[in-house]
Amino acid sequence: PLCFPQKLWKMLESDQFQSIWWSDSGKCVAINEELFKEEVLGRGRLQRVFNTQRIESVIRQLYTYGFTKMQRDDQRSASLPEFLAEEAAVSAHSQILYYYNPCFNRAHPWLLERCMRR
């Protein structure tokens, strides 16, 4: 059986899930919380990726494997109008969670073996 980080990587590399994806930089995992609950945790027993139906359990696993919660994964604009437009976009996507782990990076798959339980 695959460990949690391997399952997560497999999900991110699959086109089967719309609720979880790599951030633009490939350094963070982005999760649409509500869609993830429905799409991943709400599946039937045979199709279940994780042995839980609770998002809190998945988040606990992320922390157990050294992930930290991030606000967002991109730079902010310096101009006020652009900044305000970005803020509006952020509030529209407030249910998107970002998690970062230095050993979990799309450009460096060999680091995955360093992603261990604390």
Side-chain angles (χ1 to χ4, degrees), residues 33 89-97:
E33 187 176 2
V90 168
S91 66
H93 296 288
S94 60
Q95 63 184 5
I96 296 177
L97 309 173

Side-chain angles (χ1 to χ4, degrees), residues 58-110:
V58 174
I59 292 170
R60 190 175 323 109
Q61 284 291 309
L62 286 165
Y63 290 134
T64 299
Y65 280 93
F67 285 81
T68 54
K69 189 172 182 182
M70 306 297 288
Q71 290 304 312
R72 284 188 63 206
D73 185 44
D74 53 8
Q75 298 294 321
R76 293 303 183 106
S77 298
S79 76
L80 183 59
E82 287 178 13
F83 178 80
L84 293 174
E86 288 172 2
E87 285 300 304
V90 168
S91 66
H93 296 288
S94 60
Q95 63 184 5
I96 296 177
L97 309 173
Y98 294 91
Y99 291 92
Y100 168 78
N101 181 324
C103 296
F104 201 87
N105 185 316
R106 180 177 55 198
H108 306 292
W110 58 88

